[in-house]
Amino acid sequence: MTFPLIWTLSRQSAGALQDAMQHTTESRDAKLAKKLPQWFLEESKRECFTASLFTCYDLLPPNVMLELAWRHSLVDLAMPCVIQIMREYLSKASS
């Protein structure tokens, strides 16, 4: 079963949305991880969008996170991830 098919099946139940995020993270596929937040936005699942940013945190480039949030007027929802990214960058820069 491909991961996009899992996303399609996930539309049928709210609990399966978490499975879509988990399967995407387990795939370790950065291209797929970029598509997941977009998919949640298309499905009008704002909370899932935010959750996917955290779940796929290590697979998503910060600019992708921020741009998606900005384009959909959801910067407030992405701000916790942005703060964490800044914290990590500053900690690396100071060491």
Side-chain angles (χ1 to χ4, degrees), residues 26-75:
E26 289 173 0
S27 76
R28 306 305 300 158
D29 183 342
K31 287 183 182 180
L32 193 59
K34 283 183 183 180
K35 292 178 184 178
L36 184 64
Q38 292 172 341
W39 181 71
F40 283 132
L41 291 171
E42 290 167 10
E43 296 293 313
S44 300
K45 306 270 188 212
R46 294 169 43 132
E47 293 81 9
C48 292
F49 165 75
T50 304
S52 71
L53 297 182
F54 280 104
T55 304
C56 300
Y57 178 82
D58 58 334
L59 298 172
L60 289 170
N63 63 305
V64 170
M65 288 183 191
L66 198 52
E67 182 178 351
L68 275 173
W70 175 69
R71 288 183 180 267
H72 295 274
S73 300
L74 299 173
V75 174

Side-chain angles (χ1 to χ4, degrees), residues 1 8 12 14 41 49 81 85 90:
M1 184 181 304
T8 303
Q12 298 171 2
L41 291 171
F49 165 75
C81 282
I85 291 165
L90 291 171

Side-chain angles (χ1 to χ4, degrees), residues 57 60-63 82-95:
Y57 178 82
L60 289 170
N63 63 305
V82 173
I83 292 168
Q84 180 64 30
I85 291 165
M86 291 300 297
R87 183 178 298 136
E88 288 177 8
Y89 285 171
L90 291 171
S91 131
K92 287 179 184 177
S94 67
S95 57

